[in-house]
Amino acid sequence: MSMKETALRIRIFGDQALRKKAKSVKELTTKHREYLSAMARLMYEGDGIGLAAPQVGLSEAMIVIDIGSGLFKLVNPKIIKIEGRQVLEEGCLSVPGVCIKVKRAKKVKVKALDESGRQIVIDAEDLFACVLQHEIDHLNGKLIVDYASIIDKVRIKNKLEELKKKAKDEELSESETKSCQLQL
Ligand code: ZN
């Protein structure tokens, strides 16, 4: 990884980096902590509440989340328990302009490392649980569009085609990123 932190940018639907399964981090280094900070910056810049490393082209198991109650930087997050059901309308910084209702667990227990390499366990529910599941999906190459119903698929088809073209141009217009309330 010789990429400079400043070179990190949010990858858009159509970019293959979003479909790669992230590798777990074997040894947490300063480099990883720099990436986590850069990811947090990009998340805040995009008015997002979560961001996963594959969204900035890094194929490593790292996510950042801030739903308004503080920043979490998590490495190698794993869901170890789920409970209940909830459906929220989710957007994604990598799929701007698209909202999809996604069925997820209402509560999750997640095991992860914090940025200093300490093992932590998080009990999350509601929005926090939703964001954790969304970001962990990213680490597995999974996107909200994969949850689209047949009706959703028809509705977003043109939008996705448009994004795929833009993914190549590496440009993104500001207005599009705001059409869904939750950007993850
Ligand atoms: Zn996302």
Side-chain angles (χ1 to χ4, degrees):
M1 286 193 293
S2 58
M3 203 194 314
K4 272 210 206 114
E5 191 211 273
T6 49
L8 294 180
R9 58 177 173 81
I10 292 181
R11 305 302 177 91
I12 300 303
F13 183 80
D15 190 316
Q16 283 313 301
L18 293 168
R19 292 305 195 178
K20 256 171 98 180
K21 227 180 136 93
K23 293 188 297 278
S24 63
V25 176
K26 296 275 185 295
E27 198 197 342
L28 225 168
T29 64
T30 308
K31 197 87 241 176
H32 293 104
R33 283 183 278 275
E34 281 170 18
Y35 283 140
L36 284 162
S37 298
M39 285 165 57
R41 247 196 318 278
L42 285 169
M43 172 183 75
Y44 290 128
E45 274 170 24
D47 281 328
I49 53 175
L51 190 73
Q55 289 183 276
V56 296
L58 298 170
S59 194
E60 298 200 75
M62 301 183 287
I63 62 176
V64 293
I65 294 176
D66 188 347
I67 59 161
S69 49
L71 175 61
F72 284 83
K73 296 172 176 171
L74 304 176
V75 176
N76 299 343
K78 282 227 162 47
I79 295 170
I80 53 174
K81 198 180 166 195
I82 62 169
E83 213 184 303
R85 277 298 206 183
Q86 65 174 331
V87 180
L88 290 176
E89 197 160 69
E90 299 178 22
C92 179
L93 292 168
S94 295
V95 196
V98 170
C99 289
I100 302 276
K101 278 185 183 152
V102 183
K103 257 187 225 145
R104 300 196 186 273
K106 189 165 175 61
K107 292 183 182 178
V108 292
K109 194 188 272 284
V110 170
K111 194 178 76 175
L113 300 177
D114 67 12
E115 65 173 331
S116 54
R118 266 188 305 258
Q119 181 85 243
I120 54 169
V121 174
I122 297 169
D123 282 297
E125 55 182 74
D126 302 324
L127 179 60
F128 192 21
C130 163
V131 182
L132 278 162
Q133 291 168 87
H134 178 117
E135 303 313 332
I136 292 170
D137 269 356
H138 273 303
L139 301 181
N140 292 311
K142 194 165 183 181
L143 300 170
I144 52 170
V145 296
D146 302 337
Y147 292 93
S149 66
I150 292 166
I151 294 165
D152 285 334
K153 278 180 186 146
V154 174
R155 178 171 60 84
I156 65 178
K157 189 173 177 286
N158 291 339
K159 185 83 217 169
L160 293 183
E161 288 304 321
E162 206 181 289
L163 288 175
K164 270 191 215 164
K165 278 181 214 136
K166 283 206 179 112
K168 283 186 203 125
D169 300 344
E170 298 181 9
E171 74 166 56
L172 185 60
S173 78
E174 285 292 325
S175 59
E176 287 188 313
T177 54
K178 290 287 176 60
S179 56
C180 198
Q181 220 177 355
L182 300 177
Q183 299 293 337
L184 305 86

